[in-house]
Amino acid sequence: MKKLLIIIAVILIGIQFIPVERTNPPVKNEMPMPSKVKEVISRACYDCHSNNTEWKWYSKVAPMSFLISYDVKEGREHLNFTEWNYYSMEENEIKQEIWEEVLKERMPPWSYRVVNPKGKLSEEDKRILREWALER
Ligand code: HEC
């Protein structure tokens, strides 16, 4: 039993030395949006969908660090509000997609909402996003 605990401790310490990417590249273009919408999106989405990720202390501790940096990498690849270069037609589709993800409660991911109270969207937050996403 003691041996097992020592092995686990050694593994936990060892994985801390595996390099993890935690970058915040410079912001290029931010997606234009009204300030009310920006307040909600920057609070609930920017940690994974922007170059302004807030890297919390636990994002520096393996194995959480692996999961978080992977989420950020994937999130930025799919949608980056701070490297915005879409044409307006596409923009409408993206807004629609954003609303669908929020409506179905797929975004922010539940695992994020559990540890980040700021990721829980209120009814008012959702109303703001819906109006913005569906307005034409
Ligand atoms: C914990 C990190 C995280 C947060 C916070 C987060 N997302 Fe995501 N998001 C991801 C990841 C990872 C993907 C890509 C994989 C997937 O679809 O699950 C994604 C995908 C998406 C997509 C699909 C893009 C595509 O090309 O298919 C949309 C739209 C989206 N997110 C919107 C949002 C919105 C809006 C918020 C805030 C309300 C948000 N996300 C918050 C991690 C996050």
Side-chain angles (χ1 to χ4, degrees), residues 48-105:
C48 302
H49 293 293
S50 87
N51 294 348
N52 287 338
T53 304
E54 186 191 338
W55 297 100
K56 296 265 175 57
W57 66 267
Y58 49 80
S59 74
K60 301 187 170 86
V61 183
M64 278 91 78
S65 53
F66 306 144
L67 304 172
I68 294 171
S69 88
Y70 180 78
D71 254 0
V72 173
K73 188 171 163 291
E74 279 283 298
R76 282 178 184 164
E77 267 167 26
H78 280 81
L79 174 71
N80 190 334
F81 290 110
T82 55
E83 292 194 16
W84 202 251
N85 53 3
Y86 295 98
Y87 297 108
S88 55
M89 223 180 80
E90 271 181 79
E91 200 161 289
N92 281 338
E93 281 166 30
I94 292 161
K95 281 157 83 174
Q96 187 128 14
E97 210 178 315
I98 288 172
W99 171 241
E100 270 166 33
E101 296 291 319
V102 169
L103 179 66
K104 293 178 190 152
E105 301 202 344

Side-chain angles (χ1 to χ4, degrees), residues 19-58:
V20 178
E21 250 191 74
R22 274 184 302 271
T23 60
N24 273 2
V27 168
K28 291 181 186 153
N29 291 312
E30 279 196 82
M31 181 189 190
M33 54 180 93
S35 60
K36 269 203 306 195
V37 177
K38 172 91 186 278
E39 192 281 315
V40 178
I41 290 194
S42 60
R43 166 161 48 83
C45 320
Y46 264 40
D47 274 347
C48 302
H49 293 293
S50 87
N51 294 348
N52 287 338
T53 304
E54 186 191 338
W55 297 100
K56 296 265 175 57
W57 66 267
Y58 49 80

